[in-house]
Amino acid sequence: MRLIIKQNKLMELTPDKWGLLVYLSDQDAGVDLTAIKIFMKHIAKSRLALAEDNLSVAEKLLEVGFSNRTVIHESYYSMYHAARSAVYIQMQLDATKHRSLVDKFKKLLIRQFGDETLANQMNAWRMDRIKCDYDLNVVVAEEMCESAISDAAMFIETCRNLVEGF
């Protein structure tokens, strides 16, 4: 089976490129920001859908008692994709590296809400995910899984609001 990735050039958007688009639009140079924003929202919403899929998998795994390690993994990736959608749409930046995404998400949260709590939670879950993926001696309690799922659901809702507010 071969995975086919459809690349959209708008995923390569950076703040300076966005600034140029805004400038060209303001100068009536034929740049339609409305259309660009629609495409950007589509990309962000597809990432939110992926976040929701990861959360759904985490919930099902916990429900059947399959693998608590994988519940943490899926819950974290739910947060990752949700944060990536919000950073992309609000900061016109496609952050793919995990630590960098946490930093950008923290800046976004401070700018929007004056609070970095969610970014700090994401970073803590990032570290827990790494331990769960690579440390064979880690034991993950069901309560930790429930907390990860709860945090991921809150993440998705917050990021959905940031995407819709663009």
Side-chain angles (χ1 to χ4, degrees):
M1 180 179 184
R2 196 167 161 204
L3 183 64
I4 298 172
I5 299 174
K6 200 166 108 178
Q7 185 69 20
N8 184 324
K9 284 297 196 183
L10 282 175
M11 289 181 180
E12 299 171 9
L13 192 63
T14 59
D16 57 329
K17 290 177 186 175
W18 176 253
L20 178 60
L21 291 172
V22 170
Y23 173 79
L24 291 172
S25 175
D26 290 347
Q27 299 303 312
D28 294 322
V31 174
D32 181 8
L33 284 184
T34 305
I36 293 170
K37 286 181 178 183
I38 289 169
F39 286 119
M40 289 175 66
K41 249 189 182 171
H42 176 73
I43 291 167
K45 286 182 177 183
S46 69
R47 290 182 181 155
L48 281 174
L50 187 54
E52 290 168 346
D53 289 347
N54 285 114
L55 179 58
S56 179
V57 168
E59 291 169 336
K60 296 283 189 243
L61 289 171
L62 182 61
E63 182 180 310
V64 298
F66 179 67
S67 168
N68 286 357
R69 289 170 174 270
T70 310
V71 170
I72 300 302
H73 178 96
E74 293 293 325
S75 296
Y76 166 74
Y77 272 99
S78 178
M79 296 175 214
Y80 169 84
H81 291 296
R84 195 169 169 215
S85 72
V87 166
Y88 173 73
I89 202 80
Q90 288 288 335
M91 299 178 87
Q92 297 80 44
L93 187 63
D94 188 20
T96 58
K97 301 218 181 310
H98 294 256
R99 184 70 211 148
S100 174
L101 177 61
V102 170
D103 292 340
K104 300 296 184 204
F105 190 58
K106 183 181 284 191
K107 287 179 184 176
L108 173 61
L109 292 173
I110 290 170
R111 184 177 79 192
Q112 292 289 327
F113 308 115
D115 186 27
E116 61 188 52
T117 303
L118 275 181
N120 293 337
Q121 286 176 331
M122 181 182 178
N123 196 47
W125 286 118
R126 181 182 69 85
M127 298 303 292
D128 288 339
R129 192 270 311 168
I130 291 169
K131 289 176 195 165
C132 288
D133 283 355
Y134 300 109
D135 186 347
L136 298 177
N137 297 316
V138 169
V139 177
V140 180
E142 188 173 313
E143 295 79 27
M144 184 177 180
C145 293
E146 291 168 353
S147 181
I149 288 171
S150 174
D151 285 354
M154 182 175 46
F155 248 79
I156 290 172
E157 191 57 36
T158 299
C159 292
R160 180 181 291 112
N161 290 336
L162 288 167
V163 168
E164 293 300 327
F166 178 69

